[in-house]
Amino acid sequence: MSHCDQILEKDVDSSPTATTNSSSKNGDNGDVVVNARAVCRVCKCLYREPKIMQCLHTFCADCVRQLEPFSVSSGVHNGKAVPLEGEPLSSAVTVLCPECDSEVDIPLSGVDGLTTDHLALDEVFLETLMSKNSVVCDLCSDGDAEKRCEVCSVNLCEFCIQAHRRQKRTSSHTVQCLEDLKTKGCLSRPVLCSLHPGQELRLFCEPCDLPVCLECAATFHRDHRCLPTRDVIDRHGGRIRDLVTGRLRPRLDQLEESLRKVDLSQEALQTRVDAAVDEVRSFARGYASAVESHCLLLLRRLEELGLQRRSHLHLQRAQLQQALSDTRGGVEFAERLLTCGSDAEILSAKDVTLRRLAVLMETGYNPPPATVCPDDGSSICFLPRESAGDVAGYPMVGVIHTKTLELSRCTIEGEGLQRGREGQRGEFTLVCRDSAGEQMGHGGEAVLVSMVHKEKKDCRVEAAVVDNSDGSYSVSYTPMEPGPYSVWVCVKALHVKGSPFVLNVRRQVRWHRGTFHCCSFCSSGGSKEARCGCTGTMPGGFQGCGHGHKGHPGKPHWSCCGSTVEASECLPQSVITAVGGTITAVGGTGSPRGQLRTVEL
């Protein structure tokens, strides 16, 4: 490290702790750091050996050494991303920038191989200069420094300034007043060579692409083309300037514009989301109020129904009590008259007794037992999914159902109750209706379906009843025996209108097993062994039928049963006879030829 850098490091070590914002914490001496460019983003202190990473972010050298490795090709040093100061790297190490998360490759020479950020050092010195009321002279350490040598980068008191000017080597150095530096708010100092302390980097080696001092040019770069920095700065600085102004600055403007649009979109999105939230909450409050109103209407409806039904039952009870009292009085009087009265007493009171008993029989309140107390509240139910219209503009569901089942109005839908097929599933639907003929709209009724064979009393069919929860009930069954069945359809142990029904189950379809041919001689290619279900015969030892021979139907027919209808069931072989050239199914025993085995060719 050069002498000037050592002096600057001394200034940095004595500087206060800093943070990155204008309202930073106080240092050890109570001063406040206000220059964020002089503060490391990792340790939150003034830069110490600031190093520029490949992403152009600057951090202290020690802070870079403490970073965890992101990728290492062959190993790490003591668990750190980079070795300690002075220790070379034995493998390529990559770390993540703490600022932008970019991947940064550490040189094989270690952190010291990274470029030093001299601008950051200038900011550190300026911050140190602005934060301290007085600066001690770097040479004598006795007096307060008043000026600063721009070449040596040292702060000097008045006595040391005179000595600095008397020395031949430093007599030409430019000295600036510290107060002027504070007023300007900027610091311009020379960049010195790290190999030759006190030598400024005034030359630029073209082959090595490095700034060098005069001694480096005379020793290490003797055969290289070294030009003054002022002669090459336009070319190299121009490249940077062209990239910035020609490409990156327009891209920066585009990115800023895009970012501005994104920010505006975020604001618009948040505004719309907030508005939607308000709309949802307003809708929820309105809907909740409408639901509450609907609930009150339903409760009021239930209360009115309960009052109405209770009044009806109370009236019916009063009528029954009165009828009971009248009937009991008449019966008791008549029984007492017959039991205790003499013949004369009975005859004398018979007229008035008979008239009273006749009145009780004719005009007295005597409802049928089935209609007494018909309303036990079972007809009142709540249908939560039934549409209830709109309340204050909001659609509502849930209605109070008060329909009463009327057995005479119930209907049966589907052909499964009139006809069925042996071994096949049959279905029909029971629709429960009220006195107005409207479908009940809800399930829960006790439905019973019984199916019994009318000729075979021990033959029953199991019926499955499915409640569709809409007033209809699906009934399915599978009969295994043909014939007539008696079907009982009951609701609450009472028959619906038309019950019991008669179900006719036909036998299972018999499919043809043979061939639909003109004759067995043709279909078998003249085989004598071929047989046919018809009554036709052929001479010469043929066992089947032939054209124009005895018993041939005279038309194409099935070889299995002799039926002349192609789209038909296979007739039982025991009931086939030949009548006038056609095959007819009749009762009794058929032709012996019908019992022969059919040969399919």
Side-chain angles (χ1 to χ4, degrees), residues 302-320:
L302 286 174
E303 184 177 357
E304 293 175 354
L305 284 175
L307 179 61
Q308 180 182 356
R309 300 294 177 87
R310 284 193 298 270
S311 299
H312 178 71
L313 292 176
H314 180 72
L315 176 60
Q316 191 176 48
R317 184 174 187 276
Q319 292 175 341
L320 289 173

Side-chain angles (χ1 to χ4, degrees), residues 238-282:
R239 293 175 57 190
I240 299 176
R241 187 177 298 103
D242 292 341
L243 288 175
V244 172
T245 58
R247 296 185 179 182
L248 294 180
R249 177 58 65 179
R251 180 182 298 181
L252 181 63
D253 296 338
Q254 293 177 359
L255 292 175
E256 290 178 350
E257 179 64 21
S258 299
L259 181 60
R260 186 184 67 83
K261 292 181 179 179
V262 171
D263 292 339
L264 293 177
S265 299
Q266 286 183 338
E267 294 178 1
L269 175 62
Q270 188 61 39
T271 302
R272 184 66 197 114
V273 169
D274 293 341
V277 168
D278 295 338
E279 292 174 1
V280 170
R281 290 177 176 172
S282 177

Side-chain angles (χ1 to χ4, degrees), residues 363-376:
T363 62
Y365 181 75
N366 185 25
T371 62
V372 175
C373 194
D375 190 2
D376 58 355

Side-chain angles (χ1 to χ4, degrees), residues 22 110 246 282 339 362 371 379 494 536 577:
S22 59
S282 177
T339 302
E362 294 177 0
T371 62
S379 62
L494 297 176
T577 57

